[in-house]
Amino acid sequence: MSEILDNMSFFAQKNVDLQNLNYPLKFTFKIGTMSNDFVIEDSNSSTLAYVRQKMFKFIDEIQVFTDTSKTNLEFTIKANKWIDFSATYVFTDKNGIEKGRVARKGWASIWKARYDVYDQNQHLAFHIMEENAWTKVFDSIFGEIPVLGIFTGYVFNPKYIIGRPDGSKVMRLKKNASMFGRKFTLDKIGATNNTSEDEYIVLSLMMMILLERRRG
């Protein structure tokens, strides 16, 4: 009986831990569901989070659960404001405490995708920048070709660098080759100053991936 209670206690205390991560992380979209959703796993193939976009909402809203059972909601990401063709998305935990935010630089992203990441005090902490702008151009052109366009996911797959305002790089996100654009990989290539930085970077990428997934 005590063993059963211990096991129940373990599952009850399970939460989304984005501060003690084993890289690389794998983002894999599910296929055949009504929702725009994906699972995040670490290098040990352990599930870190299940991310789900709420459907049929005027304002973008993302829910982050511990797993696909959707029992424990840990974070919410919601559009906060729209300014000059740009959107800001705020991350809050299950207690409603802000953990950070990411802003899509609308006009700047027409040529090459760019997002700015802010910490919980709304200080600019990181930029997310597409490495090669030509990938976006060729993807758009190739995607308009009948029949061949469905294979863009095998040819043009963007990569994104997460770096500080001083130019130092800390992570790289790449979209893996696949027909349905299902898989992304996040590698750590530099040092973060604290575990909170890992947390709001990964939360930012959750939102960015949903916005950029259809490309490449």
Side-chain angles (χ1 to χ4, degrees), residues 12 14-16 49-54 61-78 92-96 203 206:
K14 183 181 178 182
N15 56 20
V16 176
Y50 168 62
V51 182
R52 178 178 180 270
Q53 183 178 24
K54 296 192 72 173
E61 183 174 339
I62 308 303
Q63 297 175 315
V64 183
F65 298 91
T66 54
D67 53 42
T68 55
S69 70
K70 297 182 289 185
T71 302
N72 298 318
L73 176 64
E74 293 290 327
F75 297 98
T76 299
I77 305 174
K78 186 180 296 187
T92 54
D93 66 12
K94 58 187 175 184
N95 298 313
L203 286 168
M206 290 177 186

Side-chain angles (χ1 to χ4, degrees), residues 80-93:
N80 177 259
K81 63 180 69 174
W82 295 80
I83 300 177
D84 187 28
F85 197 46
S86 300
T88 299
Y89 302 90
V90 178
F91 329 129
T92 54
D93 66 12

Side-chain angles (χ1 to χ4, degrees), residues 178-192:
S178 67
M179 179 175 292
F180 298 103
R182 295 182 58 227
K183 299 180 180 180
F184 293 76
T185 301
L186 178 64
D187 289 288
K188 196 166 188 176
I189 58 176
T192 47

